[in-house]
């Protein structure tokens, strides 16, 4: 099924986030979103960045790394903008029924030096131990509209409890 004015509608939606970024950062943000839409669920960030860096953006790989790891924008600001638009566009009122959906998933990994990977009990595999990332995802559901919110990669350490994982920046000590 083809949506008639998809490109224009995507650009309109992306423009809602424009004031959260500098002009160069907004160009990279828009490229990421459009690439994820075009390439679908099989895309990997690293391969997408390589293709974007050498395509129309003509940027080095370092600019994408800085955008993802060292920039001044925050996920919370983007979520705030998305939530505002979600409530405004769908005209959600005080008496409307909304569902907050929270779910976790395990992503199995094979490398032993991948940041944030730990052993987790997998309830879907009869409590088998699985090495990888555990993601917790949340979303708001209103009628037929779903707004994904704050995905978090978590780790469990006996002496720290449950903590959200954030990759270290260069020069930052391990936590």
């Amino acid at each position: 099924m083809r949506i008639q004015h998809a490109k224009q509608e995507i650009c309109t939606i992306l423009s809602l986030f424009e004031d959260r970024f500098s002009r160069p950062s907004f160009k990279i943000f828009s490229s990421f979103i459009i690439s994820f839409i075009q390439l679908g669920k099989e895309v990997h960030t690293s391969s997408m960045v390589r293709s974007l860096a050498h395509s129309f953006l003509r940027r080095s790989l370092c600019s994408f790394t800085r955008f993802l790891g060292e920039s001044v924008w925050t996920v919370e600001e983007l979520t705030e903008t998305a939530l505002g638009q979600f409530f405004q566009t769908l005209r959600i009122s005080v008496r409307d029924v909304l569902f907050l959906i929270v779910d976790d998933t395990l992503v199995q990994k094979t490398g032993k030096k991948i940041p944030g990977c730990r052993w987790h009990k997998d309830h879907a595999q009869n409590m088998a131990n699985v090495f990888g990332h555990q993601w917790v995802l949340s979303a708001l559901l209103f009628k037929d509209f779903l707004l994904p919110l704050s995905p978090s990669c978590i780790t469990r350490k006996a002496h720290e409890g449950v903590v959200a994982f954030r990759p270290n920046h260069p020069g930052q000590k391990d936590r």
Side-chain angles (χ1 to χ4, degrees):
M1 182 173 98
R2 185 169 170 88
I3 301 173
Q4 284 185 332
H5 303 286
K7 184 177 180 180
Q8 183 179 352
E9 289 179 23
I10 290 170
C11 288
T12 301
I13 292 168
L14 288 175
S15 72
L16 299 171
F17 296 90
E18 197 166 5
D19 64 337
R20 301 290 184 175
F21 298 98
S22 66
R23 186 172 291 143
S25 290
F26 180 69
K27 196 171 185 178
I28 293 173
F29 169 75
S30 299
S31 299
F32 267 118
I33 300 301
I34 290 168
S35 294
F36 278 121
I37 291 169
Q38 288 176 335
L39 299 173
K41 68 179 184 175
E42 297 302 320
V43 69
H44 297 280
T45 305
S46 58
S47 60
M48 184 184 67
V49 165
R50 268 189 232 103
S51 69
L52 283 173
H54 301 296
S55 66
F56 72 96
L57 285 178
R58 307 273 189 260
R59 293 194 177 269
S60 72
L61 294 176
C62 296
S63 61
F64 292 95
T65 304
R66 282 191 306 274
F67 173 79
L68 292 173
E70 301 172 13
S71 44
V72 296
W73 61 271
T74 65
V75 172
E76 292 79 14
E77 289 175 335
L78 299 181
T79 302
E80 181 182 318
T81 300
L83 274 170
Q85 288 304 311
F86 184 75
F87 279 86
Q88 182 181 357
T89 303
L90 297 176
R91 296 190 175 113
I92 298 172
S93 66
V94 175
R95 299 198 186 275
D96 288 332
V97 176
L98 282 168
F99 294 95
L100 174 64
I101 301 167
V102 180
D103 193 19
D104 71 322
T105 188
L106 292 173
V107 180
Q108 192 167 1
K109 302 289 182 180
T110 55
K112 299 300 179 203
K113 294 185 179 182
I114 299 173
C117 283
R118 301 286 183 263
W119 287 100
H120 302 279
K121 295 283 187 189
D122 188 354
H123 300 278
Q125 294 183 25
N126 202 21
M127 299 298 283
N129 288 319
V130 174
F131 185 78
H133 290 131
Q134 182 176 24
W135 287 90
V136 176
L137 307 167
S138 59
L140 275 182
L141 177 65
F142 177 69
K143 297 181 180 177
D144 291 335
F145 299 94
L146 184 72
L147 176 66
L149 301 170
S150 64
S152 298
C153 185
I154 62 168
T155 61
R156 286 188 172 85
K157 293 182 181 179
H159 63 281
E160 294 180 9
V162 177
V163 296
F165 170 73
R166 296 185 193 267
N168 292 335
H169 293 297
Q172 184 181 11
K173 294 181 181 177
D174 284 337
R175 295 177 213 188

